[in-house]
Amino acid sequence: MNYRQIEERLGYTFKDKKLLKTALTLASADPDDNNQTMEFFGDAILEFLVSEKIYDEKSSEGKLTEKRKMYVSDEALTPVAEKLGLDKYLIRSSGDTNNIKSVPSSYEAVLAAIYLDGGLSEARSFVMRTMDFNIAVIEKDYKSRLQENYQKITQNTPKYDNENIGTPQSPEFVSRTVIFDKTFEGRGSNRKQAEQLAAKNALDYFSEMFSEKNKRN
């Protein structure tokens, strides 16, 4: 394992390299020393740090809970983990090639490893450095915004046609939705992400129409 290369991507140098190795080891590769416990711990650390980040926002408890749930979801963490290259560094058995859950989980495990190696301050810095809170909020809302605007005019709900065009090692989905007889397409590393991008493209195209409709209402 090239520790220096991984650490450069993470922006953190481990004092105990074994923590990093364990964080990237799946149970299929080592039933005894793997990242499952770190994933559990990292999930709790991430929820705390995200809660700390959004604590001062003027929202109800329910809305804050939903926002936190969105930030720590697999859909939000997968592109973050892939940007860091964690999917390429995972240690797995030769037959374990279709474990999509392992990618977002690896981010949580690495977060736990950084916490155990460097403490809360380093863990916080890692999360704030690697997660884009603004983009996550906007992308998550595209589908609901499109549905709200589309239903005001047609009373219909947008439908999405999804296709898996990737491989187990490099998943890629394409999603298409037809709005007013025009097809819009989105691509992403998972189905929900692709749907969000298809909805965004439709919103962008019909932005003036929807804006005028909302003004009249």
Side-chain angles (χ1 to χ4, degrees):
M1 177 181 288
N2 189 333
Y3 290 109
R4 178 176 296 180
Q5 186 179 70
I6 301 173
E7 289 172 333
E8 286 179 355
R9 297 291 296 270
L10 297 177
Y12 178 79
T13 301
F14 281 84
K15 295 183 286 291
D16 183 354
K17 308 297 185 186
K18 187 176 184 300
L19 286 170
L20 177 57
K21 181 179 180 181
T22 300
L24 295 173
T25 302
L26 303 186
S28 63
D30 190 332
D32 300 316
D33 186 16
N34 55 67
N35 68 1
Q36 288 184 334
T37 303
M38 281 190 175
E39 174 193 340
F40 163 78
F41 192 23
D43 177 64
I45 297 169
L46 184 60
E47 285 207 355
F48 167 73
L49 291 173
V50 170
S51 298
E52 183 182 63
K53 168 70 174 176
I54 65 176
Y55 173 74
D56 289 333
E57 296 184 10
K58 298 184 183 300
S59 298
S60 66
E61 180 185 357
K63 287 184 179 179
L64 289 174
T65 299
E66 284 301 310
K67 183 173 286 190
R68 181 181 63 193
K69 188 183 301 182
M70 177 189 68
Y71 286 137
V72 302
S73 68
D74 286 354
E75 291 77 21
L77 294 181
T78 295
V80 176
E82 289 176 342
K83 186 176 181 179
L84 292 170
L86 297 182
D87 53 319
K88 306 294 193 304
Y89 297 121
L90 286 174
I91 302 169
R92 61 177 90 218
S93 69
S94 58
D96 183 9
T97 58
N98 197 31
N99 186 358
I100 297 176
K101 168 68 176 172
S102 65
V103 178
S105 297
S106 67
Y107 181 85
E108 296 170 333
V110 167
L111 173 60
I114 291 174
Y115 173 86
L116 292 169
D117 191 71
L120 183 59
S121 178
E122 292 291 351
R124 181 185 292 111
S125 295
F126 174 70
V127 170
M128 297 303 121
R129 182 172 64 250
T130 56
M131 291 183 65
D132 190 331
F133 292 91
N134 292 325
I135 289 178
V137 171
I138 294 172
E139 289 187 354
K140 190 69 177 181
D141 197 42
Y142 287 140
K143 282 183 66 178
S144 61
R145 285 165 54 196
L146 176 62
Q147 179 172 317
E148 179 182 352
N149 283 282
Y150 190 53
Q151 286 183 331
K152 286 180 180 178
I153 301 174
T154 68
Q155 305 299 314
N156 296 323
T157 300
K159 306 295 183 185
Y160 296 86
D161 179 29
N162 301 304
E163 181 183 0
N164 186 349
I165 61 173
T167 65
Q169 294 80 9
S170 182
E172 182 179 8
F173 289 78
V174 58
S175 179
R176 300 178 181 88
T177 185
V178 178
I179 305 295
F180 301 122
D181 297 323
K182 184 172 180 61
T183 301
F184 298 91
E185 181 178 294
R187 293 171 182 255
S189 58
N190 56 66
R191 178 181 58 80
K192 290 185 178 181
Q193 188 179 72
E195 289 178 353
Q196 292 289 345
L197 292 176
K200 177 185 183 300
N201 290 333
L203 279 168
D204 289 345
Y205 187 86
F206 291 113
S207 59
E208 290 188 13
M209 176 197 295
F210 291 147
S211 178
E212 287 299 319
K213 179 66 176 178
N214 289 330
K215 287 179 182 178
R216 289 196 296 268
N217 291 342

